[in-house]
Amino acid sequence: QVQLLESGGGVVQAGGSLRLSCASSGRTFSRDSVGWFRQAPGKEREFVATIHRTGSTYYSDSVKGRFTISRDNGKKEVYLQMDSLQPEDTAVYSCATKDAILTAPYYTRANDYAYWGQGTQVTVSS
């Protein structure tokens, strides 16, 4: 069983930045695709970004150019650098992992992923 732990959430003013971390207990983390999702109150869970085992990345249109996903396989961590935050970015952010083959596509659906963290709250005030 893989455990994921997110950290780095908090309250920030519009235009500010936060850096989220996702720490994995998985033994094969370097083979995983890792995704970040978010869910605002009363809304469905939304794909944010994903990073392939090769290091290539894919973003939702709503965060492209503002958010950056990266990974450190030695530490078994994935990061989400969030810049130019806006009130509409307010949500609980969760990371998820899936063991993936080298030629796997980008996974953007929640049910593509096998393991999930509990999430961390991000609140952006106007």
Side-chain angles (χ1 to χ4, degrees), residues 41-75:
K43 294 188 176 181
E44 293 187 354
R45 186 181 298 175
E46 174 189 19
F47 166 76
V48 175
T50 186
I51 185 163
H52 195 266
R53 58 183 283 181
T54 60
S56 59
T57 59
Y58 183 79
Y59 300 90
S60 69
D61 288 343
S62 62
V63 307
K64 194 178 300 180
R66 300 188 298 124
F67 291 11
T68 303
I69 188 171
S70 61
R71 67 191 299 159
D72 184 332
N73 288 337
K75 293 182 178 180

Side-chain angles (χ1 to χ4, degrees), residues 14-15 85-91 122-126:
L85 283 162
Q86 300 301 316
E88 53 265 35
D89 294 316
T90 295
V122 171
T123 302
V124 185
S125 61
S126 57

Side-chain angles (χ1 to χ4, degrees), residues 4 6-7 12-13 32 37 46 67 83 88 91 114 116 122 125:
L4 302 174
E6 301 97 337
S7 61
V12 64
Q13 289 188 331
D32 289 346
F37 291 78
E46 174 189 19
F67 291 11
D83 298 319
E88 53 265 35
W116 289 81
V122 171
S125 61

Side-chain angles (χ1 to χ4, degrees), residues 80-102:
L80 186 68
Q81 177 67 41
M82 306 186 296
D83 298 319
S84 301
L85 283 162
Q86 300 301 316
E88 53 265 35
D89 294 316
T90 295
V92 174
Y93 285 70
S94 300
C95 64
T97 64
K98 172 183 172 60
D99 189 13
I101 61 175
L102 196 58

